[in-house]
Amino acid sequence: QVQLVESGGALVQAGGSLRLSCAASGRDFSTYAMGWFRQTPGNEREAVAIISYSTWYADSVNGRFTISRDSANDMVFLQMNNLKSKDTALYYCAARAGTASLRVHAWEYWGQGTQVTVSS
């Protein structure tokens, strides 16, 4: 059974940092594209950072967030620095076989999400 489990979400003050983790299990994810997405109430889920053969970042987080992976342990991380109130959202980890995609519906596996709240 494939499972993605996020952790690390919390309430943090603006300017602070958080590190999100995603533990993947159920198959070998070393060749999968892995991504972090976020969603706020009433809005569509959006891609934040993706890692496959290279990395991609949304303009809104570029230079502040860093995605990385530990393929040996099927873990993916999102280091978030200089957090802003606009970063408040439910953050999801996702996996996709093959190449990365910015289309949310192209991703096969999703975690349940971890809440990040940034207070100003």
Side-chain angles (χ1 to χ4, degrees), residues 31-101:
T31 60
Y32 277 58
M34 302 294 293
W36 287 97
F37 295 73
R38 66 187 181 188
Q39 189 171 20
T40 54
N43 293 305
E44 293 185 354
R45 195 169 298 186
E46 62 176 3
V48 174
I50 297 170
I51 185 166
S52 61
Y53 301 106
S54 60
T55 56
W56 173 92
Y57 297 94
D59 288 344
S60 58
V61 306
N62 197 19
R64 299 187 296 121
F65 290 11
T66 303
I67 188 170
S68 62
R69 70 192 301 170
D70 176 358
S71 295
N73 293 298
D74 284 333
M75 296 285 296
V76 182
F77 307 98
L78 186 67
Q79 178 67 42
M80 305 186 295
N81 298 328
N82 190 20
L83 282 161
K84 306 177 186 298
S85 57
K86 64 181 181 180
D87 296 318
T88 295
L90 188 60
Y91 283 72
Y92 296 91
C93 176
R96 182 176 188 273
T99 58
S101 173

Side-chain angles (χ1 to χ4, degrees), residues 2-8 20-25 36 74-76 91 93 110-114:
V2 173
Q3 199 170 19
L4 301 179
V5 179
E6 305 96 333
S7 61
L20 305 184
S21 299
C22 173
S25 61
W36 287 97
D74 284 333
M75 296 285 296
V76 182
Y91 283 72
C93 176
W110 293 89
Q112 293 300 306
T114 185

